[in-house]
PDB file of all heavy atoms in Angstrom:
ATOM      1  N   GLY A  80     -10.300 -37.048  22.272  1.00 73.00           N
ATOM      2  CA  GLY A  80     -10.860 -38.181  21.550  1.00 73.00           C
ATOM      3  C   GLY A  80     -11.420 -37.802  20.196  1.00 73.00           C
ATOM      4  O   GLY A  80     -12.086 -38.596  19.542  1.00 73.00           O
ATOM      5  N   ALA A  81     -11.162 -36.574  19.731  1.00 75.00           N
ATOM      6  CA  ALA A  81     -11.693 -36.079  18.458  1.00 75.00           C
ATOM      7  C   ALA A  81     -10.667 -36.326  17.367  1.00 75.00           C
ATOM      8  O   ALA A  81      -9.914 -35.431  16.990  1.00 75.00           O
ATOM      9  CB  ALA A  81     -12.024 -34.599  18.568  1.00 75.00           C
ATOM     10  N   VAL A  82     -10.616 -37.541  16.855  1.00 81.00           N
ATOM     11  CA  VAL A  82      -9.618 -37.902  15.856  1.00 81.00           C
ATOM     12  C   VAL A  82     -10.288 -38.570  14.664  1.00 81.00           C
ATOM     13  O   VAL A  82     -11.452 -38.954  14.717  1.00 81.00           O
ATOM     14  CB  VAL A  82      -8.559 -38.856  16.450  1.00 81.00           C
ATOM     15  CG1 VAL A  82      -7.744 -38.153  17.516  1.00 81.00           C
ATOM     16  CG2 VAL A  82      -9.206 -40.121  17.018  1.00 81.00           C
ATOM     17  N   CYS A  83      -9.520 -38.688  13.588  1.00 83.00           N
ATOM     18  CA  CYS A  83      -9.991 -39.401  12.409  1.00 83.00           C
ATOM     19  C   CYS A  83     -10.043 -40.898  12.699  1.00 83.00           C
ATOM     20  O   CYS A  83      -9.559 -41.367  13.737  1.00 83.00           O
ATOM     21  CB  CYS A  83      -9.064 -39.134  11.228  1.00 83.00           C
ATOM     22  SG  CYS A  83      -8.960 -37.395  10.738  1.00 83.00           S
ATOM     23  N   LEU A  84     -10.606 -41.645  11.760  1.00 79.00           N
ATOM     24  CA  LEU A  84     -10.752 -43.090  11.966  1.00 79.00           C
ATOM     25  C   LEU A  84      -9.417 -43.780  12.226  1.00 79.00           C
ATOM     26  O   LEU A  84      -9.349 -44.750  12.978  1.00 79.00           O
ATOM     27  CB  LEU A  84     -11.419 -43.729  10.739  1.00 79.00           C
ATOM     28  CG  LEU A  84     -12.945 -43.670  10.666  1.00 79.00           C
ATOM     29  CD1 LEU A  84     -13.425 -44.241   9.348  1.00 79.00           C
ATOM     30  CD2 LEU A  84     -13.568 -44.428  11.837  1.00 79.00           C
ATOM     31  N   ASP A  85      -8.349 -43.276  11.593  1.00 83.00           N
ATOM     32  CA  ASP A  85      -7.045 -43.920  11.768  1.00 83.00           C
ATOM     33  C   ASP A  85      -6.246 -43.304  12.912  1.00 83.00           C
ATOM     34  O   ASP A  85      -5.082 -43.637  13.098  1.00 83.00           O
ATOM     35  CB  ASP A  85      -6.244 -43.839  10.471  1.00 83.00           C
ATOM     36  CG  ASP A  85      -5.819 -42.421  10.120  1.00 83.00           C
ATOM     37  OD1 ASP A  85      -6.435 -41.475  10.665  1.00 83.00           O
ATOM     38  OD2 ASP A  85      -4.882 -42.260   9.313  1.00 83.00           O
ATOM     39  N   GLY A  86      -6.851 -42.389  13.679  1.00 85.00           N
ATOM     40  CA  GLY A  86      -6.173 -41.784  14.811  1.00 85.00           C
ATOM     41  C   GLY A  86      -5.426 -40.511  14.502  1.00 85.00           C
ATOM     42  O   GLY A  86      -4.878 -39.880  15.418  1.00 85.00           O
ATOM     43  N   THR A  87      -5.391 -40.095  13.226  1.00 88.00           N
ATOM     44  CA  THR A  87      -4.722 -38.837  12.881  1.00 88.00           C
ATOM     45  C   THR A  87      -5.593 -37.653  13.284  1.00 88.00           C
ATOM     46  O   THR A  87      -6.789 -37.783  13.529  1.00 88.00           O
ATOM     47  CB  THR A  87      -4.418 -38.777  11.374  1.00 88.00           C
ATOM     48  OG1 THR A  87      -5.628 -39.019  10.641  1.00 88.00           O
ATOM     49  CG2 THR A  87      -3.376 -39.821  10.990  1.00 88.00           C
ATOM     50  N   LEU A  88      -4.952 -36.470  13.336  1.00 89.00           N
ATOM     51  CA  LEU A  88      -5.643 -35.278  13.794  1.00 89.00           C
ATOM     52  C   LEU A  88      -6.642 -34.772  12.763  1.00 89.00           C
ATOM     53  O   LEU A  88      -6.370 -34.794  11.561  1.00 89.00           O
ATOM     54  CB  LEU A  88      -4.633 -34.169  14.087  1.00 89.00           C
ATOM     55  CG  LEU A  88      -3.655 -34.419  15.234  1.00 89.00           C
ATOM     56  CD1 LEU A  88      -2.643 -33.270  15.319  1.00 89.00           C
ATOM     57  CD2 LEU A  88      -4.389 -34.575  16.560  1.00 89.00           C
ATOM     58  N   PRO A  89      -7.810 -34.292  13.200  1.00 87.00           N
ATOM     59  CA  PRO A  89      -8.761 -33.666  12.276  1.00 87.00           C
ATOM     60  C   PRO A  89      -8.265 -32.293  11.860  1.00 87.00           C
ATOM     61  O   PRO A  89      -7.291 -31.772  12.419  1.00 87.00           O
ATOM     62  CB  PRO A  89     -10.041 -33.570  13.114  1.00 87.00           C
ATOM     63  CG  PRO A  89      -9.542 -33.440  14.520  1.00 87.00           C
ATOM     64  CD  PRO A  89      -8.298 -34.297  14.588  1.00 87.00           C
ATOM     65  N   GLY A  90      -8.933 -31.699  10.874  1.00 91.00           N
ATOM     66  CA  GLY A  90      -8.466 -30.407  10.392  1.00 91.00           C
ATOM     67  C   GLY A  90      -9.573 -29.541   9.831  1.00 91.00           C
ATOM     68  O   GLY A  90     -10.715 -29.966   9.682  1.00 91.00           O
ATOM     69  N   TYR A  91      -9.187 -28.307   9.524  1.00 92.00           N
ATOM     70  CA  TYR A  91     -10.135 -27.345   8.978  1.00 92.00           C
ATOM     71  C   TYR A  91      -9.376 -26.330   8.134  1.00 92.00           C
ATOM     72  O   TYR A  91      -8.145 -26.200   8.205  1.00 92.00           O
ATOM     73  CB  TYR A  91     -10.894 -26.623  10.104  1.00 92.00           C
ATOM     74  CG  TYR A  91     -10.008 -25.830  11.035  1.00 92.00           C
ATOM     75  CD1 TYR A  91      -9.705 -24.489  10.777  1.00 92.00           C
ATOM     76  CD2 TYR A  91      -9.441 -26.428  12.166  1.00 92.00           C
ATOM     77  CE1 TYR A  91      -8.872 -23.770  11.622  1.00 92.00           C
ATOM     78  CE2 TYR A  91      -8.610 -25.712  13.010  1.00 92.00           C
ATOM     79  CZ  TYR A  91      -8.329 -24.385  12.730  1.00 92.00           C
ATOM     80  OH  TYR A  91      -7.494 -23.678  13.564  1.00 92.00           O
ATOM     81  N   HIS A  92     -10.118 -25.587   7.319  1.00 95.00           N
ATOM     82  CA  HIS A  92      -9.583 -24.487   6.532  1.00 95.00           C
ATOM     83  C   HIS A  92     -10.310 -23.230   6.982  1.00 95.00           C
ATOM     84  O   HIS A  92     -11.544 -23.192   6.981  1.00 95.00           O
ATOM     85  CB  HIS A  92      -9.801 -24.718   5.039  1.00 95.00           C
ATOM     86  CG  HIS A  92      -9.187 -25.988   4.531  1.00 95.00           C
ATOM     87  ND1 HIS A  92      -8.014 -26.012   3.808  1.00 95.00           N
ATOM     88  CD2 HIS A  92      -9.593 -27.285   4.641  1.00 95.00           C
ATOM     89  CE1 HIS A  92      -7.722 -27.274   3.497  1.00 95.00           C
ATOM     90  NE2 HIS A  92      -8.670 -28.061   3.995  1.00 95.00           N
ATOM     91  N   LEU A  93      -9.583 -22.194   7.366  1.00 97.00           N
ATOM     92  CA  LEU A  93     -10.163 -20.966   7.899  1.00 97.00           C
ATOM     93  C   LEU A  93      -9.680 -19.764   7.117  1.00 97.00           C
ATOM     94  O   LEU A  93      -8.479 -19.586   6.911  1.00 97.00           O
ATOM     95  CB  LEU A  93      -9.773 -20.802   9.378  1.00 97.00           C
ATOM     96  CG  LEU A  93      -9.984 -19.411  10.005  1.00 97.00           C
ATOM     97  CD1 LEU A  93     -11.469 -19.064  10.088  1.00 97.00           C
ATOM     98  CD2 LEU A  93      -9.335 -19.358  11.390  1.00 97.00           C
TER      99      LEU A  93
END
Side-chain angles (χ1 to χ4, degrees):
V82 294
C83 299
L84 277 175
D85 68 341
T87 53
L88 295 175
Y91 61 90
H92 302 257
L93 165 66

